[in-house]
Amino acid sequence: MMDVSVAIYCGACGSANFSLPAGVADEADVLCKDCGVRLGSVGDLKAELLGQALAHSAEAQRRDLDRLASDEAA
């Protein structure tokens, strides 16, 4: 298993602080805790986090493959 760090930033103020509503229905709003701007829905947030995690995972796998290939060539 791999640890992946992802972050969502507010387009208005740049903050990474947001609040999830109680019940976390996919249609519910996610709000920036610093400026109150709507960042999207919970469903939007989930999709963005999944996209970031998959991109990070793919990059980590590419680095691992490159390292293995260079080790075998040495």
Side-chain angles (χ1 to χ4, degrees):
M1 184 190 319
M2 176 187 326
D3 288 333
V4 175
S5 295
V6 295
I8 303 295
Y9 296 97
C10 176
C13 73
S15 173
N17 295 320
F18 54 88
S19 62
L20 293 176
V24 290
D26 281 354
E27 301 80 30
D29 289 337
V30 176
L31 304 175
C32 175
K33 282 188 169 183
D34 290 334
C35 73
V37 163
R38 181 181 183 276
L39 302 177
S41 69
V42 170
D44 296 335
L45 177 69
K46 287 179 184 178
E48 177 65 22
L49 292 172
L50 178 60
Q52 287 187 28
L54 290 174
H56 176 81
S57 178
E59 179 59 32
Q61 289 176 1
R62 280 191 290 277
R63 283 192 310 267
D64 289 345
L65 288 172
D66 289 345
R67 186 175 52 240
L68 287 171
S70 67
D71 288 349
E72 289 178 2

